[in-house]
Amino acid sequence: MNTLRKFAVRCKTHSLPRGYRPWPARLLFGFMLGALLAAFSPCGHSQTQDWQKEIRKYAEAQDWDSALRVVDQEISRAPNDMDVRAWRARILTWSGRLEEAEQEYLKILSVSRNDPDNWMGLANVYLREGKTTEALAAMDAAE
């Protein structure tokens, strides 16, 4: 019987090759699955959501100092995270601290020039400051 036919017969009968031990493969699969679950667990995500929820709570109460305190703590934890810095810029905008918000958006955009949300945030600040020409330029950059 040729090798191809032996293989076909073995596949039809669902027999395993001689000496095959399934436990090492299962152990490796279990380890890989565990590593993936640990890497994508909701623990880190819920921590992120917690500070955002806290900021939203303070924003609803218009407690801008507390909201800034929370976001500044996150920035100290991850100083290069532009999403956290964008939250800071939004809080500054909402609180009416427009000059600081403008500076924060400009810092963000010096690092990450392709995020249309940040360009629109800057445009919003410019509009509130009465800088319509700069606001139009920022809106154009957002496209």
Side-chain angles (χ1 to χ4, degrees), residues 111-131:
V111 174
S112 175
R113 300 198 57 80
N114 296 328
D115 190 338
D117 291 333
N118 291 327
W119 283 108
M120 291 304 292
L122 180 61
N124 182 32
V125 169
Y126 282 149
L127 281 174
R128 290 181 62 185
E129 291 176 321
K131 300 177 180 178

Side-chain angles (χ1 to χ4, degrees), residues 15-30:
S15 64
L16 297 172
R18 190 178 283 170
Y20 177 77
R21 290 179 281 162
W23 69 268
R26 287 182 183 156
L27 183 65
L28 179 62
F29 176 75

Side-chain angles (χ1 to χ4, degrees), residues 1-11:
M1 195 179 258
N2 68 22
T3 309
L4 185 59
R5 179 169 262 180
K6 287 180 186 178
F7 179 76
V9 169
R10 190 177 350 185
C11 288

Side-chain angles (χ1 to χ4, degrees), residues 10-74:
R10 190 177 350 185
C11 288
K12 278 185 178 179
T13 60
H14 303 287
S15 64
L16 297 172
R18 190 178 283 170
Y20 177 77
R21 290 179 281 162
W23 69 268
R26 287 182 183 156
L27 183 65
L28 179 62
F29 176 75
F31 177 74
M32 298 286 286
L33 182 61
L36 285 173
L37 287 174
F40 295 108
S41 73
C43 294
H45 183 67
S46 67
Q47 184 181 16
T48 300
Q49 293 299 318
D50 288 345
W51 68 263
Q52 290 176 358
K53 285 180 184 176
E54 196 172 350
I55 288 174
R56 286 186 183 103
K57 178 185 74 173
Y58 289 131
E60 285 177 23
Q62 296 184 356
D63 185 354
W64 308 120
D65 291 332
S66 296
L68 281 171
R69 188 187 75 251
V70 171
V71 80
D72 286 340
Q73 287 172 351
E74 286 301 310

